Amino acid sequence: MSTADTASLVTFRQARRADLARIVALIADDAVAAGRTGTFGPAHVAGFEAIEASPNDELVVAELDGEVVGVMQLTFIPGIARNGATRLHVEAVRVDARLRGQGVGRRLMEHAHARGRERGCALAQLTSDKQRPEAHRFYRSLGYAQSHEGFKLAL
Amino acid sequence: MSTADTASLVTFRQARRADLARIVALIADDAVAAGRTGTFGPAHVAGFEAIEASPNDELVVAELDGEVVGVMQLTFIPGIARNGATRLHVEAVRVDARLRGQGVGRRLMEHAHARGRERGCALAQLTSDKQRPEAHRFYRSLGYAQSHEGFKLAL
């Protein structure tokens, strides 16, 4: 199957509880995140239930031939800054390692942006670990400005 | 009044509708944000109402002698990554220019972290424009790791 075919055959839907073990495996299948994702367990279930309960959060999966091959979390953040703009905040973007470089990530992000527009967002934002230069190139290729420094603190 | 006195006298509370014009002025009083905040108007009111309607968003003001002297927005983001951690996401942190360097920002952030812990957050995160090196030093001084690149895209 050609690259174009693969990406065009991917579909998107809200994640279901039955997808969760696969989602955790996708998020953990990454040199940067492996150590901090944990093995699938109650903490992930609680996180999933909190996303389902939130009116401003969505967990989206990409599906190909009935298999989950990508995931991302969308948060719609209302605000005062930037003339009262609602922001589309994107976390935990992953594509199955076997499918990388075939345009699936690009379609995933296009879907994110479409959902953001549907929710009235004026701006999309995300951060990417400084250890991921390939991801940075990918986001720049989508038109993102690499304009901010990202800070994290354990509480 | 000494610096320590000023910071110790600041109190924190949820923003009210009557604070909004002052909040917009605080957010706009900044070389980086001035051009994009807009003058106080219906878009800011709509943003305020959306924050009030959200169970996972809070707009917090710092008050000194009955005057609003600081603001920040907190979003509690549930998630699957990082072992199902809830994130405290901080936006639009501002302190009155007349009070900068007196520890008010530090107390504002400590209040943010306390609220995050109350909501079960394992992690605090924020981004800061690359044009704000003083802000970056400030966040590093609070223990934040400057570990990520921050990307923005107009939708």
Side-chain angles (χ1 to χ4, degrees), chain A residues 89-147:
Chain A
H89 182 85
V90 187
E91 294 275 359
V93 179
R94 292 292 191 289
V95 171
D96 188 319
R98 296 167 299 172
L99 294 176
R100 282 181 202 154
Q102 298 190 46
V104 176
R106 183 168 294 264
R107 283 210 57 220
L108 194 62
M109 294 306 298
E110 287 167 357
H111 183 77
H113 302 155
R115 281 296 296 139
R117 288 189 200 97
E118 284 169 10
R119 288 284 299 244
C121 297
L123 183 77
Q125 64 182 27
L126 57 90
T127 68
S128 177
D129 197 296
K130 286 182 188 280
Q131 299 173 65
R132 302 190 196 271
E134 286 181 30
H136 305 165
R137 274 194 292 278
F138 169 65
Y139 293 121
R140 288 195 302 268
S141 81
L142 294 173
Y144 278 82
Q146 193 169 338
S147 56

Side-chain angles (χ1 to χ4, degrees), chain A residues 3-86:
Chain A
T3 294
D5 285 344
T6 301
S8 67
L9 291 173
V10 169
T11 56
F12 303 97
R13 62 169 172 80
Q14 299 287 311
R16 296 189 283 257
R17 173 64 183 82
D19 302 318
L20 191 53
R22 170 71 177 145
I23 289 168
V24 172
L26 275 174
I27 291 176
D29 182 21
D30 175 287
V32 175
R36 64 195 185 205
T37 306
T39 49
F40 176 52
H44 301 108
V45 175
F48 179 82
E49 288 171 353
I51 292 170
E52 285 219 303
S54 168
N56 292 335
D57 288 271
E58 294 182 359
L59 192 65
V60 175
V61 294
E63 213 171 28
L64 182 68
D65 293 333
E67 192 186 359
V68 169
V69 296
V71 66
M72 63 184 174
Q73 182 179 346
L74 309 181
T75 305
F76 310 106
I77 305 182
I80 308 297
R82 294 179 186 254
N83 202 27
T86 301

Side-chain angles (χ1 to χ4, degrees), chain A residues 36-37 73 78 82-83 87 89 91 122 124-128 130 145-153 155, chain B residues 36-37 73 78 82-83 87 91 122 124-128 130 145-153 155:
Chain A
R36 64 195 185 205
T37 306
Q73 182 179 346
R82 294 179 186 254
N83 202 27
R87 295 162 192 248
H89 182 85
E91 294 275 359
Q125 64 182 27
L126 57 90
T127 68
S128 177
K130 286 182 188 280
Q146 193 169 338
S147 56
H148 284 60
E149 294 290 321
F151 294 84
K152 310 271 178 185
L153 175 72
L155 292 182
Chain B
R36 64 193 184 205
T37 305
Q73 182 178 346
R82 294 178 186 256
N83 203 27
R87 295 162 193 250
E91 293 276 357
Q125 63 180 29
L126 56 89
T127 68
S128 178
K130 286 182 189 278
Q146 194 169 338
S147 54
H148 284 61
E149 295 290 322
F151 295 84
K152 310 270 180 188
L153 176 72
L155 290 182

Side-chain angles (χ1 to χ4, degrees), chain B residues 5-153:
Chain B
D5 285 346
T6 302
S8 67
L9 291 171
V10 169
T11 56
F12 303 96
R13 62 170 173 80
Q14 298 287 311
R16 295 188 283 257
R17 173 66 182 80
D19 302 316
L20 191 53
R22 169 71 176 145
I23 288 168
V24 172
L26 276 175
I27 291 176
D29 182 21
D30 174 287
V32 175
R36 64 193 184 205
T37 305
T39 49
F40 176 51
H44 300 109
V45 175
F48 179 81
E49 289 172 351
I51 292 170
E52 285 219 302
S54 167
N56 291 336
D57 287 271
E58 293 182 0
L59 191 64
V60 175
V61 295
E63 214 171 24
L64 181 67
D65 292 333
E67 194 186 357
V68 170
V69 296
V71 65
M72 64 183 173
Q73 182 178 346
L74 309 181
T75 305
F76 310 106
I77 305 181
I80 308 297
R82 294 178 186 256
N83 203 27
T86 302
R87 295 162 193 250
L88 168 68
H89 182 85
V90 187
E91 293 276 357
V93 179
R94 292 291 192 289
V95 171
D96 188 320
R98 297 167 298 170
L99 294 176
R100 284 180 201 154
Q102 299 189 45
V104 177
R106 184 168 294 263
R107 283 209 57 218
L108 194 63
M109 294 305 299
E110 286 167 357
H111 182 77
H113 301 155
R115 280 296 296 138
R117 287 187 200 99
E118 283 169 11
R119 289 283 300 243
C121 297
L123 184 78
Q125 63 180 29
L126 56 89
T127 68
S128 178
D129 198 296
K130 286 182 189 278
Q131 299 173 65
R132 301 190 197 272
E134 286 180 32
H136 305 165
R137 276 193 291 278
F138 169 65
Y139 293 121
R140 288 194 302 266
S141 81
L142 294 173
Y144 279 82
Q146 194 169 338
S147 54
H148 284 61
E149 295 290 322
F151 295 84
K152 310 270 180 188
L153 176 72

